[in-house]
Structures are given as C-alpha cells and as structure tokens.
Amino acid sequence: MSAEALAISRPLLVTDDPLLLDEVLSLAGESGADVEVAPDPTAARDRYGSASLVLVGVDLAEACARARLPRRPGVVLVGVQPDEGEPPWHLAERLGAEHIALLPEGAQWLAGRLSASVGPESIGAMVAVLGGRGGAGATVLACGLAVTAVRLGRRALIVDGDPFGGGLDLVFGWEGVAGLRWPDLAHTAGAVGVPALADALPGEGALAVLSNDREDGPTLPLDAMLAALATGRRGWDLTVVDLSRRFDDASLAALSVTDHTLLVVPAELRACAAAARVATEALRHTGSMSLVVRKPAPGKLSPREISRALGLPLVGTLRSEPAIARGLERGEPPAANGAGPLAELCTRLVDVLDLKPRTVAA
C-alpha cells in the first residue's frame, strides 16, 4: 500500500489542548490506530474530508465551525468531562458531529471507534416505519420486521420513536423487564458504545428494544435520538424505527438518516387524505419512501389506486389478522411464529428492501 493510501486511512485529531491530546493518543495506541494531529482548522483542512474519522477537540470546535470545514460523516466532538454542566451539544450541532465523547467516561466508546477506523466497518441497515393516520398498523409492521429479521438470522434493534405510543416494550411483554428506556438514555452524558447499549436494553437473544416508558414527557431529545441510531447502525444488522406522525426534531432527524421509510396506509378514503399530508412532510426529510396498504378496503379502494394518488411505489399489502391483536394483548410480538400474512410480508420486505449489513470504508 502506498504512503498516500495509508495517510487517507488515518483518523484526524484537531486539538491544541495538551491534556486532551495525551488522552486521545493513549487511547489510539491501545486501539492500534495511527492518529494524525492538526493544531488548528487551517492545518486540518486538507485532511478533514478524506480522514477515516475526525475527532474535533472542544477547545477548537468553535474555530472549526467558523472555518466552515466541509460537512461530512464520521465527526466526533471530544473533550475532557467537566466537573459540572451539560455536554456542548450546540457545538456538536454546528459541526455536524455524530457523537460527543467526553473523557474519561467516553473512553471505552472512543477506543472502540478508533479501532473500527483502522479498517473496513460493517454497518447495519436502518428503516423507518410511519403510519399514514392513527391506528394504521405501523407499530405492528415495525415490530414484525424486527422479529422477522431475527428469525432470518440477523441481530435487530427496534427503536420507539413515538412518545405517544405507550411503549414498545409492551408489544414484546417486556414492560416488567429491567433495562434502559429513553429517559435513561436522554440523561446520559457523552456517547454510548455498542456493548454498553446492547447490555443495557431489554431484549431476548438477537432482538433488543429501545422503548419509551409511560411516565416521561412527550418529546424525545434530538441528540439522544441521533446517538441511539448511530449506535444501532454499528451494533445491529437491522435497526427499525417506529415513528409518530407528530413530527418533532428527533423524528425528522431519524427520517433523514434511515435508508428507507415505509408508510402504512389503510385502504380508506380519509386515511389516504391524511396520509398525503404525512407523506408530503416526510419526503422533505427522507429520500426513499414506499407504501404498504392495509386491508380490508370498505369502499373497494385498490392498493394501486392509493399508490397512484400518493405518488409512492407500492411494496406490499397487509391483511387483517385477528390473532395478532389477541396476541398483542398478551405480550406476544407479531410475526413471531413466522406464519401468516404479516410474517410473509415482512420476509419479503427484508429481501426486497435489501435490509442487510454492508461493509464501508471506516
């Protein structure tokens, strides 16, 4: 490999803080990562876009933002944990940073991220599921997709993006299972590593759920949502996000980072009218959306008519299954036995939407 190719694969640290420099270089040495250091934004500019990972010190974050360095993925804001005060979320937002890693608390996560930057990284697929109106069946489809992915031999994370939904842990019968919920994650400073999140979430085998609880407020913090989805992307083969139609900053951010969005619409005239407004707003934030139509159709409205009316490609239909509704009341997740229309649809969607991990340059 040429010296130029080796240089392109190296992470970049932008800091003029001696303490932070020592801490990060020590972690890099343990992780086998050869980090290049830039003491200011001017020195960083030539390497900023091509580095495998960019670590921006809190000390130079404002200067880097003013320097208008190019927006890119794989930017992490790093610093030494202050004795008190909130993490510098405003700086992370200005830089477009994916994470904030505050040391020493974030040392384990940062070491893992540096290690991953050495070579190719496998990242999971991510799909959002959205109802065209209330009661459309989006949650059932989202949970069915996650359960089906596990049945097909993959690791799946389902993320509850609907603060008004009552909590996805109820769908799996895990409401009494100890583990991290959204309020806990929202109050965690710094980044959350894959092992830590996997160990903390309620789950069973290859399936984990990040659920709302039934006591916290009706909003999800934007920074917590982005951190959770980025961790899901690295730690699970498939992340499914069950979103509310009440778009807030967190749900819009989720739409912007997922690979594909599924809109579930009942085959009814009023549902189609409501779904048209939902689709218009969602399409401002997601580049890929398709339609799942839920039957029956009381007015004989066909799935293809709905597809044409909404201007969305049709990827499947969802027929009514009374057994699923009965099972949900008992904490039995949908599509768990692999039989029935929902399980068949989810199996096909996993294949048609190509919901499998892919290897990318770190």
PDB file of all heavy atoms in Angstrom, residues 279-292:
ATOM      1  N   ALA A 279     -47.072  12.095   4.072  1.00  0.00           N
ATOM      2  CA  ALA A 279     -46.047  11.778   3.069  1.00  0.00           C
ATOM      3  C   ALA A 279     -45.350  13.038   2.573  1.00  0.00           C
ATOM      4  O   ALA A 279     -44.126  13.056   2.387  1.00  0.00           O
ATOM      5  CB  ALA A 279     -46.676  11.030   1.899  1.00  0.00           C
ATOM      6  N   THR A 280     -46.105  14.102   2.360  1.00  0.00           N
ATOM      7  CA  THR A 280     -45.513  15.351   1.881  1.00  0.00           C
ATOM      8  C   THR A 280     -44.466  15.871   2.845  1.00  0.00           C
ATOM      9  O   THR A 280     -43.355  16.275   2.447  1.00  0.00           O
ATOM     10  CB  THR A 280     -46.609  16.416   1.679  1.00  0.00           C
ATOM     11  OG1 THR A 280     -47.512  15.966   0.671  1.00  0.00           O
ATOM     12  CG2 THR A 280     -46.000  17.749   1.247  1.00  0.00           C
ATOM     13  N   GLU A 281     -44.779  15.853   4.139  1.00  0.00           N
ATOM     14  CA  GLU A 281     -43.827  16.333   5.132  1.00  0.00           C
ATOM     15  C   GLU A 281     -42.634  15.395   5.256  1.00  0.00           C
ATOM     16  O   GLU A 281     -41.485  15.830   5.304  1.00  0.00           O
ATOM     17  CB  GLU A 281     -44.516  16.490   6.489  1.00  0.00           C
ATOM     18  CG  GLU A 281     -43.604  16.950   7.618  1.00  0.00           C
ATOM     19  CD  GLU A 281     -42.987  18.324   7.353  1.00  0.00           C
ATOM     20  OE1 GLU A 281     -43.568  19.117   6.578  1.00  0.00           O
ATOM     21  OE2 GLU A 281     -41.913  18.601   7.920  1.00  0.00           O
ATOM     22  N   ALA A 282     -42.903  14.078   5.291  1.00  0.00           N
ATOM     23  CA  ALA A 282     -41.815  13.112   5.465  1.00  0.00           C
ATOM     24  C   ALA A 282     -40.837  13.142   4.303  1.00  0.00           C
ATOM     25  O   ALA A 282     -39.618  13.003   4.488  1.00  0.00           O
ATOM     26  CB  ALA A 282     -42.390  11.710   5.645  1.00  0.00           C
ATOM     27  N   LEU A 283     -41.345  13.344   3.090  1.00  0.00           N
ATOM     28  CA  LEU A 283     -40.486  13.335   1.912  1.00  0.00           C
ATOM     29  C   LEU A 283     -39.543  14.533   1.865  1.00  0.00           C
ATOM     30  O   LEU A 283     -38.606  14.542   1.073  1.00  0.00           O
ATOM     31  CB  LEU A 283     -41.329  13.277   0.633  1.00  0.00           C
ATOM     32  CG  LEU A 283     -41.903  11.894   0.303  1.00  0.00           C
ATOM     33  CD1 LEU A 283     -42.937  11.994  -0.798  1.00  0.00           C
ATOM     34  CD2 LEU A 283     -40.795  10.923  -0.073  1.00  0.00           C
ATOM     35  N   ARG A 284     -39.785  15.528   2.690  1.00  0.00           N
ATOM     36  CA  ARG A 284     -38.827  16.632   2.793  1.00  0.00           C
ATOM     37  C   ARG A 284     -37.557  16.196   3.522  1.00  0.00           C
ATOM     38  O   ARG A 284     -36.541  16.885   3.481  1.00  0.00           O
ATOM     39  CB  ARG A 284     -39.457  17.820   3.524  1.00  0.00           C
ATOM     40  CG  ARG A 284     -40.616  18.479   2.804  1.00  0.00           C
ATOM     41  CD  ARG A 284     -40.974  19.798   3.471  1.00  0.00           C
ATOM     42  NE  ARG A 284     -42.050  20.478   2.754  1.00  0.00           N
ATOM     43  CZ  ARG A 284     -43.313  20.524   3.166  1.00  0.00           C
ATOM     44  NH1 ARG A 284     -43.650  19.944   4.311  1.00  0.00           N
ATOM     45  NH2 ARG A 284     -44.228  21.157   2.475  1.00  0.00           N
ATOM     46  N   HIS A 285     -37.624  15.053   4.196  1.00  0.00           N
ATOM     47  CA  HIS A 285     -36.518  14.645   5.055  1.00  0.00           C
ATOM     48  C   HIS A 285     -35.971  13.257   4.727  1.00  0.00           C
ATOM     49  O   HIS A 285     -34.908  12.886   5.226  1.00  0.00           O
ATOM     50  CB  HIS A 285     -36.964  14.678   6.518  1.00  0.00           C
ATOM     51  CG  HIS A 285     -37.490  16.006   6.943  1.00  0.00           C
ATOM     52  ND1 HIS A 285     -36.676  17.030   7.381  1.00  0.00           N
ATOM     53  CD2 HIS A 285     -38.751  16.498   6.946  1.00  0.00           C
ATOM     54  CE1 HIS A 285     -37.411  18.090   7.660  1.00  0.00           C
ATOM     55  NE2 HIS A 285     -38.669  17.806   7.408  1.00  0.00           N
ATOM     56  N   THR A 286     -36.670  12.492   3.920  1.00  0.00           N
ATOM     57  CA  THR A 286     -36.183  11.166   3.541  1.00  0.00           C
ATOM     58  C   THR A 286     -36.185  11.044   2.031  1.00  0.00           C
ATOM     59  O   THR A 286     -37.128  11.502   1.363  1.00  0.00           O
ATOM     60  CB  THR A 286     -37.042  10.048   4.174  1.00  0.00           C
ATOM     61  OG1 THR A 286     -36.501   8.769   3.817  1.00  0.00           O
ATOM     62  CG2 THR A 286     -38.495  10.108   3.715  1.00  0.00           C
ATOM     63  N   GLY A 287     -35.161  10.441   1.504  1.00  0.00           N
ATOM     64  CA  GLY A 287     -35.051  10.337   0.054  1.00  0.00           C
ATOM     65  C   GLY A 287     -35.662   9.082  -0.525  1.00  0.00           C
ATOM     66  O   GLY A 287     -35.758   8.946  -1.740  1.00  0.00           O
ATOM     67  N   SER A 288     -36.105   8.158   0.329  1.00  0.00           N
ATOM     68  CA  SER A 288     -36.600   6.877  -0.162  1.00  0.00           C
ATOM     69  C   SER A 288     -37.816   6.465   0.667  1.00  0.00           C
ATOM     70  O   SER A 288     -37.697   6.235   1.872  1.00  0.00           O
ATOM     71  CB  SER A 288     -35.498   5.814  -0.063  1.00  0.00           C
ATOM     72  OG  SER A 288     -35.945   4.565  -0.511  1.00  0.00           O
ATOM     73  N   MET A 289     -38.968   6.396   0.032  1.00  0.00           N
ATOM     74  CA  MET A 289     -40.197   6.028   0.745  1.00  0.00           C
ATOM     75  C   MET A 289     -41.060   5.150  -0.151  1.00  0.00           C
ATOM     76  O   MET A 289     -41.158   5.377  -1.355  1.00  0.00           O
ATOM     77  CB  MET A 289     -40.983   7.279   1.157  1.00  0.00           C
ATOM     78  CG  MET A 289     -42.304   6.962   1.851  1.00  0.00           C
ATOM     79  SD  MET A 289     -43.277   8.462   2.236  1.00  0.00           S
ATOM     80  CE  MET A 289     -42.353   9.071   3.641  1.00  0.00           C
ATOM     81  N   SER A 290     -41.667   4.146   0.443  1.00  0.00           N
ATOM     82  CA  SER A 290     -42.606   3.315  -0.295  1.00  0.00           C
ATOM     83  C   SER A 290     -43.823   3.026   0.566  1.00  0.00           C
ATOM     84  O   SER A 290     -43.865   3.338   1.760  1.00  0.00           O
ATOM     85  CB  SER A 290     -41.942   2.022  -0.781  1.00  0.00           C
ATOM     86  OG  SER A 290     -41.342   1.328   0.277  1.00  0.00           O
ATOM     87  N   LEU A 291     -44.802   2.412  -0.035  1.00  0.00           N
ATOM     88  CA  LEU A 291     -46.141   2.303   0.536  1.00  0.00           C
ATOM     89  C   LEU A 291     -46.502   0.862   0.863  1.00  0.00           C
ATOM     90  O   LEU A 291     -46.258  -0.052   0.072  1.00  0.00           O
ATOM     91  CB  LEU A 291     -47.147   2.870  -0.476  1.00  0.00           C
ATOM     92  CG  LEU A 291     -48.629   2.756  -0.164  1.00  0.00           C
ATOM     93  CD1 LEU A 291     -49.008   3.651   1.015  1.00  0.00           C
ATOM     94  CD2 LEU A 291     -49.446   3.134  -1.406  1.00  0.00           C
ATOM     95  N   VAL A 292     -47.095   0.670   2.031  1.00  0.00           N
ATOM     96  CA  VAL A 292     -47.733  -0.593   2.401  1.00  0.00           C
ATOM     97  C   VAL A 292     -49.204  -0.280   2.676  1.00  0.00           C
ATOM     98  O   VAL A 292     -49.511   0.587   3.498  1.00  0.00           O
ATOM     99  CB  VAL A 292     -47.084  -1.222   3.648  1.00  0.00           C
ATOM    100  CG1 VAL A 292     -47.890  -2.443   4.114  1.00  0.00           C
ATOM    101  CG2 VAL A 292     -45.646  -1.615   3.370  1.00  0.00           C
TER     102      VAL A 292
END
